[in-house]
Amino acid sequence: MALEYKDLVRLQFWILAVILLGFLEKVFFVAEYGTANGGIDSSGLIYVAEIVSAAKRALSRVLIIIVCEGFGTVKPRLGHLLTKV
């Protein structure tokens, strides 16, 4: 993807963002489980993990709306319509 970034559809960057947020979410959850197993209070990590999880779900739902409306495949860019989505 890094080598051919000029030929990619903008939709693929949205998909990459959802995947990266998923990785980040799991990193925080695994860190929280690790500290919980050690007997340390990890309430801060669980809050951060839940916020990242909510952001990932929101971005994936926006991605579904974008795909359903045909952006990225039929229309090349969102432009000023991004705020409406």
Side-chain angles (χ1 to χ4, degrees), residues 14 66 69 71 75-85:
W14 285 87
I66 289 172
E69 291 184 3
F71 292 117
K75 301 172 189 170
R77 306 218 185 246
L78 286 174
H80 68 284
L81 294 175
L82 179 61
T83 56
K84 290 184 179 180
V85 172

Side-chain angles (χ1 to χ4, degrees), residues 7-84:
D7 296 330
L8 294 177
V9 180
R10 290 286 171 194
L11 190 62
Q12 291 169 327
F13 290 110
W14 285 87
I15 294 170
L16 176 67
V18 171
I19 291 171
L20 291 177
L21 276 175
F23 284 141
L24 189 63
E25 172 192 13
K26 294 306 171 192
V27 164
F28 282 118
F29 275 122
V30 168
E32 190 271 328
Y33 293 145
T35 56
N37 283 337
I40 301 170
D41 182 31
S42 61
S43 61
L45 279 176
I46 196 69
Y47 290 131
V48 172
E50 288 298 330
I51 289 171
V52 171
S53 176
K56 183 190 76 159
R57 285 191 308 253
L59 186 62
S60 64
R61 289 177 181 148
V62 167
L63 180 63
I64 289 173
I65 292 171
I66 289 172
V67 169
C68 288
E69 291 184 3
F71 292 117
T73 53
V74 177
K75 301 172 189 170
R77 306 218 185 246
L78 286 174
H80 68 284
L81 294 175
L82 179 61
T83 56
K84 290 184 179 180

